[in-house]
Short mmCIF file of all heavy atoms in Angstrom, two decimals:
data_model
loop_
_atom_site.label_atom_id
_atom_site.label_comp_id
_atom_site.label_asym_id
_atom_site.label_seq_id
_atom_site.Cartn_x
_atom_site.Cartn_y
_atom_site.Cartn_z
N PHE A 66 103.54 108.75 88.85
CA PHE A 66 104.50 107.68 89.00
C PHE A 66 104.14 106.76 90.17
O PHE A 66 104.27 105.54 90.09
CB PHE A 66 105.91 108.25 89.21
CG PHE A 66 106.92 107.22 89.63
CD1 PHE A 66 107.43 106.31 88.71
CD2 PHE A 66 107.34 107.12 90.95
CE1 PHE A 66 108.34 105.34 89.09
CE2 PHE A 66 108.25 106.17 91.34
CZ PHE A 66 108.76 105.28 90.41
N LEU A 67 103.67 107.36 91.27
CA LEU A 67 103.38 106.57 92.46
C LEU A 67 102.16 105.67 92.27
O LEU A 67 102.04 104.64 92.94
CB LEU A 67 103.20 107.48 93.66
CG LEU A 67 104.50 108.16 94.13
CD1 LEU A 67 104.21 109.20 95.19
CD2 LEU A 67 105.48 107.12 94.65
N VAL A 68 101.27 106.05 91.37
CA VAL A 68 100.18 105.13 91.02
C VAL A 68 100.78 103.89 90.35
O VAL A 68 100.42 102.74 90.67
CB VAL A 68 99.15 105.82 90.11
CG1 VAL A 68 98.15 104.80 89.58
CG2 VAL A 68 98.43 106.92 90.86
N ALA A 69 101.72 104.10 89.44
CA ALA A 69 102.40 102.97 88.79
C ALA A 69 103.29 102.23 89.78
O ALA A 69 103.47 101.01 89.68
CB ALA A 69 103.24 103.48 87.61
N TRP A 70 103.85 102.94 90.74
CA TRP A 70 104.69 102.33 91.77
C TRP A 70 103.90 101.32 92.60
O TRP A 70 104.47 100.44 93.24
CB TRP A 70 105.25 103.43 92.65
CG TRP A 70 106.19 103.01 93.72
CD1 TRP A 70 105.89 102.84 95.04
CD2 TRP A 70 107.59 102.72 93.60
NE1 TRP A 70 107.01 102.48 95.76
CE2 TRP A 70 108.07 102.38 94.89
CE3 TRP A 70 108.47 102.71 92.53
CZ2 TRP A 70 109.40 102.05 95.12
CZ3 TRP A 70 109.80 102.37 92.76
CH2 TRP A 70 110.24 102.05 94.04
N THR A 71 102.58 101.42 92.57
CA THR A 71 101.74 100.45 93.28
C THR A 71 102.02 99.04 92.80
O THR A 71 101.94 98.08 93.59
CB THR A 71 100.25 100.79 93.05
OG1 THR A 71 99.98 102.12 93.51
CG2 THR A 71 99.35 99.82 93.80
N ILE A 72 102.39 98.88 91.54
CA ILE A 72 102.65 97.53 91.02
C ILE A 72 103.88 96.91 91.69
O ILE A 72 103.78 95.83 92.30
CB ILE A 72 102.78 97.56 89.49
CG1 ILE A 72 101.44 97.95 88.88
CG2 ILE A 72 103.23 96.19 88.96
CD1 ILE A 72 101.49 98.14 87.38
N PRO A 73 105.08 97.52 91.60
CA PRO A 73 106.21 96.90 92.32
C PRO A 73 106.02 96.87 93.82
O PRO A 73 106.52 95.95 94.49
CB PRO A 73 107.41 97.78 91.92
CG PRO A 73 106.83 99.05 91.41
CD PRO A 73 105.52 98.68 90.80
N GLU A 74 105.31 97.84 94.37
CA GLU A 74 105.04 97.82 95.81
C GLU A 74 104.21 96.60 96.20
O GLU A 74 104.40 96.02 97.26
CB GLU A 74 104.28 99.09 96.21
CG GLU A 74 105.14 100.12 96.89
CD GLU A 74 104.30 101.27 97.42
OE1 GLU A 74 103.19 101.48 96.94
OE2 GLU A 74 104.79 101.96 98.32
N THR A 75 103.27 96.22 95.34
CA THR A 75 102.44 95.05 95.60
C THR A 75 103.19 93.77 95.28
O THR A 75 103.11 92.78 96.02
CB THR A 75 101.15 95.13 94.76
OG1 THR A 75 100.45 96.33 95.07
CG2 THR A 75 100.25 93.93 95.04
N VAL A 76 103.92 93.79 94.19
CA VAL A 76 104.61 92.59 93.73
C VAL A 76 105.78 92.23 94.64
O VAL A 76 106.06 91.05 94.87
CB VAL A 76 105.10 92.78 92.27
CG1 VAL A 76 105.99 91.64 91.84
CG2 VAL A 76 103.90 92.91 91.34
N SER A 77 106.46 93.25 95.20
CA SER A 77 107.63 92.97 96.03
C SER A 77 107.29 92.10 97.24
O SER A 77 107.93 91.06 97.44
CB SER A 77 108.28 94.29 96.47
OG SER A 77 109.35 94.06 97.33
N PRO A 78 106.31 92.47 98.08
CA PRO A 78 105.98 91.55 99.18
C PRO A 78 105.36 90.25 98.71
O PRO A 78 105.52 89.21 99.35
CB PRO A 78 104.99 92.36 100.03
CG PRO A 78 104.42 93.38 99.11
CD PRO A 78 105.52 93.71 98.16
N LEU A 79 104.67 90.29 97.58
CA LEU A 79 104.00 89.10 97.09
C LEU A 79 104.99 88.08 96.54
O LEU A 79 104.88 86.88 96.79
CB LEU A 79 102.99 89.48 96.01
CG LEU A 79 102.03 88.40 95.51
CD1 LEU A 79 101.13 87.94 96.64
CD2 LEU A 79 101.20 88.95 94.35
N LEU A 80 105.99 88.55 95.79
CA LEU A 80 106.88 87.63 95.07
C LEU A 80 108.32 87.62 95.56
O LEU A 80 109.12 86.84 95.06
CB LEU A 80 106.87 87.99 93.57
CG LEU A 80 105.53 87.80 92.85
CD1 LEU A 80 105.64 88.22 91.40
CD2 LEU A 80 105.05 86.36 92.96
N ILE A 81 108.65 88.48 96.52
CA ILE A 81 110.02 88.48 97.03
C ILE A 81 110.05 88.22 98.53
O ILE A 81 110.58 87.21 98.99
CB ILE A 81 110.75 89.80 96.71
CG1 ILE A 81 110.88 90.00 95.19
CG2 ILE A 81 112.15 89.80 97.34
CD1 ILE A 81 111.56 91.29 94.79
N GLU A 82 109.45 89.11 99.31
CA GLU A 82 109.66 89.05 100.75
C GLU A 82 108.65 88.16 101.46
O GLU A 82 109.01 87.20 102.11
CB GLU A 82 109.62 90.47 101.34
CG GLU A 82 110.73 91.36 100.82
CD GLU A 82 112.12 90.80 101.08
OE1 GLU A 82 112.29 90.02 102.03
OE2 GLU A 82 113.03 91.11 100.30
N ASP A 83 107.39 88.47 101.34
CA ASP A 83 106.40 87.78 102.18
C ASP A 83 105.94 86.46 101.55
O ASP A 83 106.29 85.39 102.01
CB ASP A 83 105.20 88.70 102.42
CG ASP A 83 105.55 89.83 103.38
OD1 ASP A 83 106.61 89.75 104.02
OD2 ASP A 83 104.77 90.79 103.47
N ALA A 84 105.15 86.56 100.49
CA ALA A 84 104.50 85.36 99.97
C ALA A 84 105.49 84.32 99.47
O ALA A 84 105.45 83.16 99.90
CB ALA A 84 103.52 85.74 98.85
N MET A 85 106.37 84.72 98.56
CA MET A 85 107.30 83.74 98.00
C MET A 85 108.19 83.14 99.09
O MET A 85 108.40 81.93 99.14
CB MET A 85 108.17 84.40 96.93
CG MET A 85 109.09 83.43 96.21
SD MET A 85 108.22 82.26 95.14
CE MET A 85 107.82 83.35 93.76
N ALA A 86 108.69 83.99 99.99
CA ALA A 86 109.57 83.49 101.04
C ALA A 86 108.83 82.55 101.98
O ALA A 86 109.33 81.48 102.35
CB ALA A 86 110.18 84.65 101.82
N MET A 87 107.62 82.95 102.38
CA MET A 87 106.88 82.14 103.36
C MET A 87 106.37 80.83 102.77
O MET A 87 106.10 79.88 103.51
CB MET A 87 105.75 82.96 103.96
CG MET A 87 106.26 84.01 104.94
SD MET A 87 104.96 84.86 105.87
CE MET A 87 104.33 86.00 104.64
N VAL A 88 106.23 80.77 101.46
CA VAL A 88 105.84 79.51 100.83
C VAL A 88 107.07 78.65 100.54
O VAL A 88 107.14 77.48 100.89
CB VAL A 88 105.06 79.77 99.52
CG1 VAL A 88 104.87 78.47 98.75
CG2 VAL A 88 103.72 80.39 99.82
N MET A 89 108.07 79.25 99.88
CA MET A 89 109.15 78.45 99.34
C MET A 89 110.21 78.06 100.36
O MET A 89 110.81 76.99 100.24
CB MET A 89 109.81 79.22 98.18
CG MET A 89 108.91 79.38 96.96
SD MET A 89 108.24 77.80 96.35
CE MET A 89 109.74 76.90 96.02
N VAL A 90 110.49 78.91 101.36
CA VAL A 90 111.53 78.53 102.33
C VAL A 90 111.16 77.24 103.06
O VAL A 90 111.98 76.33 103.16
CB VAL A 90 111.81 79.69 103.31
CG1 VAL A 90 112.68 79.21 104.48
CG2 VAL A 90 112.52 80.84 102.59
N PRO A 91 109.93 77.10 103.61
CA PRO A 91 109.60 75.82 104.23
C PRO A 91 109.62 74.65 103.25
O PRO A 91 110.06 73.54 103.60
CB PRO A 91 108.17 76.05 104.78
CG PRO A 91 108.07 77.52 104.96
CD PRO A 91 108.86 78.10 103.83
N VAL A 92 109.16 74.88 102.01
CA VAL A 92 109.14 73.80 101.03
C VAL A 92 110.56 73.36 100.68
O VAL A 92 110.88 72.17 100.66
CB VAL A 92 108.38 74.23 99.76
CG1 VAL A 92 108.55 73.21 98.64
CG2 VAL A 92 106.90 74.40 100.07
N VAL A 93 111.43 74.34 100.41
CA VAL A 93 112.82 74.00 100.07
C VAL A 93 113.51 73.35 101.27
O VAL A 93 114.32 72.42 101.11
CB VAL A 93 113.57 75.25 99.59
CG1 VAL A 93 115.05 74.93 99.37
CG2 VAL A 93 112.97 75.78 98.30
N THR A 94 113.21 73.82 102.47
CA THR A 94 113.79 73.21 103.67
C THR A 94 113.44 71.73 103.76
O THR A 94 114.29 70.89 104.08
CB THR A 94 113.30 73.94 104.94
OG1 THR A 94 113.72 75.32 104.88
CG2 THR A 94 113.86 73.30 106.19
N ARG A 95 112.18 71.40 103.46
CA ARG A 95 111.80 69.98 103.47
C ARG A 95 112.43 69.22 102.31
O ARG A 95 112.81 68.06 102.44
CB ARG A 95 110.26 69.87 103.41
CG ARG A 95 109.58 70.41 104.65
CD ARG A 95 108.11 69.99 104.71
NE ARG A 95 107.32 70.54 103.61
CZ ARG A 95 106.76 71.73 103.62
NH1 ARG A 95 106.91 72.53 104.66
NH2 ARG A 95 106.04 72.15 102.59
N MET A 96 112.58 69.90 101.15
CA MET A 96 113.20 69.23 100.00
C MET A 96 114.66 68.89 100.26
O MET A 96 115.18 67.90 99.72
CB MET A 96 113.10 70.14 98.77
CG MET A 96 111.70 70.24 98.17
SD MET A 96 111.14 68.69 97.42
CE MET A 96 112.29 68.54 96.06
N LEU A 97 115.34 69.70 101.07
CA LEU A 97 116.75 69.43 101.35
C LEU A 97 116.94 68.12 102.11
O LEU A 97 118.05 67.59 102.17
CB LEU A 97 117.36 70.59 102.14
CG LEU A 97 117.53 71.89 101.34
CD1 LEU A 97 118.02 73.02 102.24
CD2 LEU A 97 118.48 71.69 100.17
N ARG A 98 115.87 67.59 102.70
CA ARG A 98 115.94 66.30 103.38
C ARG A 98 115.80 65.13 102.40
O ARG A 98 116.04 63.99 102.77
CB ARG A 98 114.84 66.19 104.44
CG ARG A 98 114.95 67.25 105.54
CD ARG A 98 113.89 67.02 106.61
NE ARG A 98 114.04 67.91 107.75
CZ ARG A 98 113.40 67.79 108.89
NH1 ARG A 98 112.54 66.78 109.07
NH2 ARG A 98 113.59 68.64 109.87
N GLU A 99 115.38 65.46 101.18
CA GLU A 99 115.19 64.41 100.17
C GLU A 99 116.52 64.12 99.47
O GLU A 99 117.37 65.01 99.32
CB GLU A 99 114.16 64.86 99.13
CG GLU A 99 112.79 65.17 99.72
CD GLU A 99 112.09 63.93 100.22
OE1 GLU A 99 112.29 62.86 99.62
OE2 GLU A 99 111.37 64.03 101.23
N PRO A 100 116.72 62.90 98.98
CA PRO A 100 117.99 62.55 98.32
C PRO A 100 118.22 63.32 97.03
O PRO A 100 119.37 63.53 96.63
CB PRO A 100 117.85 61.05 98.06
CG PRO A 100 116.39 60.77 98.11
CD PRO A 100 115.82 61.73 99.10
N ASP A 101 117.16 63.76 96.36
CA ASP A 101 117.33 64.47 95.09
C ASP A 101 117.55 65.97 95.25
O ASP A 101 117.81 66.67 94.28
CB ASP A 101 116.10 64.25 94.20
CG ASP A 101 115.92 62.79 93.82
OD1 ASP A 101 116.94 62.13 93.57
OD2 ASP A 101 114.77 62.33 93.80
#
Side-chain angles (χ1 to χ4, degrees):
F66 169 75
L67 290 172
V68 172
W70 183 260
T71 302
I72 295 174
E74 258 187 338
T75 302
V76 172
S77 176
L79 189 63
L80 295 178
I81 297 179
E82 297 303 334
D83 288 347
M85 185 70 75
M87 286 188 283
V88 170
M89 293 306 302
V90 169
V92 170
V93 175
T94 299
R95 294 193 296 274
M96 287 292 294
L97 290 175
R98 298 184 174 191
E99 300 291 327
D101 297 321

